[in-house]
Amino acid sequence: MDALITAAGLGTRANLPRGMRKEMLPLYAVRNGKIVLRPVLDCIMHNLSDSGVRKFFVVLDHRDLHTADYLSTLRMKTEFIYQKKPEGYGKAVSLARDYIKGDFILNAGDGIIIDTSKIKKIIKLYKKTGNSVLTVMSVLNPEKYGVAYINTRNVTSVVEKPANPESNYAMAAFYVFRRDVLDLVRGPELTPAINRFIAKGNTVEYFKIRKDDWISIGNSDNYYRLLERTYKFCKKSISS
C-alpha cells in the first residue's frame, strides 16, 4: 500500500524561524534498541514502513529543499509533490490525484500514531472490510477538531470544527482511503470530500484510539509535552 503525507504548511502556530518546518522538529524514537531523536516525518515514515507501506508520496512546499534532501537519505521509495502556495489541507491532498493509483493511507506530516500496533490494526480493518477507515479519539474539546459522527458500526458524517458538536469523537489525521475519495476533494477542507463519499453510498469504518496514542505538533507552548510523551513511550517500549 502507498501512503500520502502532507507537509507543505507554513506552521505559523509553532513560532519557528522562516523556512523551518514543524514536520522536521524532532521527537524521541527507538532505532536498533536505542532511544534517538528523529524528525516527525522520519518517525511517521518509519512507523508506516514497519506497517507495510512500500511507497511514499510527500507533499512539500516548492521551496522546501531541506526536507526533500533529508527524506532522500532515508532509503525509502519516495516521490515528492510540490505545492506552490498553501491553500488548505484539502488542496494539498488533491495534488496527489495524478500520482496515486490505488487505495492509500493519508497521514498529516505533523501528526503520528506512536504505537505501530495500532497502525497495523487500522490497516487490518481496511483489508478485512475493503472500506475506508477514519481514526477517531474521544476528546473534551471537539469544537477544535474535525469531528466524526458515528453509529455502532460506521461513520455517518463528519464536520470541520463544529460550533456545537453532537459528538466528542475527533478525527486524528490518519486515514485509510479508497482511491475514489481523491476525485471528490475540492477546496481547502477534506471533510466535504468524506461526506460526498458517504453520500454516494460508500461505507466508512472507524477505529478508536486513545488521545494519548496521537501526537500532533501544534503550537510552541505544548511541544515540550510531546517530547515527554514520546520519551516515556520509548522507555516503555525498550523495557518491555
Side-chain angles (χ1 to χ4, degrees):
M1 176 173 280
D2 296 339
L4 172 63
I5 301 173
T6 55
L10 297 178
T12 52
R13 288 185 303 145
N15 294 319
L16 294 171
R18 181 173 177 152
M20 185 174 180
R21 306 290 170 169
K22 62 180 179 178
E23 293 87 356
M24 291 298 287
L25 288 173
L27 295 174
Y28 286 101
V30 176
R31 298 288 190 276
N32 300 317
K34 296 181 179 180
I35 297 177
V36 298
L37 284 166
R38 292 291 184 273
V40 181
L41 281 173
D42 183 314
C43 297
I44 291 171
M45 294 174 70
H46 185 272
N47 283 4
L48 290 176
S49 180
D50 281 355
S51 302
V53 170
R54 293 294 170 258
K55 184 173 183 180
F56 296 90
F57 294 91
V58 183
V59 181
L60 297 175
D61 182 276
H62 70 288
R63 297 161 295 186
D64 188 7
L65 301 180
H66 172 68
T67 301
D69 287 345
Y70 178 84
L71 296 182
S72 296
T73 69
L74 297 183
R75 297 182 181 179
M76 296 183 188
K77 192 174 182 181
T78 306
E79 188 166 351
F80 301 115
I81 304 170
Y82 291 101
Q83 187 173 22
K84 291 185 177 180
K85 60 180 179 177
E87 297 179 300
Y89 190 48
K91 181 62 176 179
V93 172
S94 71
L95 293 175
R97 192 175 291 133
D98 295 333
Y99 294 82
I100 293 179
K101 306 305 179 185
D103 299 348
F104 64 102
I105 290 170
L106 171 62
N107 198 140
D110 59 357
I112 182 173
I113 297 176
I114 56 176
D115 186 347
T116 307
S117 69
K118 301 288 177 65
I119 297 175
K120 292 177 179 178
K121 287 178 180 178
I122 295 168
I123 295 172
K124 183 178 180 180
L125 176 60
Y126 154 76
K127 289 182 176 179
K128 178 182 177 181
T129 64
N131 296 323
S132 295
V133 183
L134 305 188
T135 307
V136 301
M137 53 191 179
S138 178
V139 299
L140 297 176
N141 52 346
E143 68 279 359
K144 294 185 177 181
Y145 296 84
V147 171
Y149 294 100
I150 63 176
N151 57 29
T152 55
R153 296 188 61 185
N154 306 313
V155 178
T156 57
S157 66
V158 294
V159 183
E160 188 63 33
K161 297 179 181 177
N164 300 293
E166 298 177 9
S167 166
N168 67 333
Y169 283 109
M171 291 183 288
F174 182 98
Y175 318 80
V176 183
F177 278 140
R178 294 254 310 275
R179 170 59 181 76
D180 315 40
V181 172
L182 276 178
D183 296 325
L184 302 174
V185 180
R186 306 169 202 134
E189 301 294 346
L190 179 65
T191 45
I194 299 173
N195 284 329
R196 292 186 194 104
F197 186 72
I198 294 171
K200 285 179 172 288
N202 296 293
T203 299
V204 175
E205 313 279 345
Y206 60 86
F207 185 91
K208 293 180 182 179
I209 61 173
R210 296 177 302 113
K211 191 173 185 295
D212 284 348
D213 291 327
W214 176 249
I215 296 284
S216 181
I217 307 291
N219 56 51
S220 54
D221 293 337
N222 66 6
Y223 177 60
Y224 76 95
R225 295 190 181 96
L226 306 184
L227 289 172
E228 290 178 347
R229 284 170 58 191
T230 53
Y231 182 77
K232 289 178 180 177
F233 182 81
C234 291
K235 288 284 287 185
K236 184 178 179 180
S237 298
I238 289 177
S239 62
S240 60

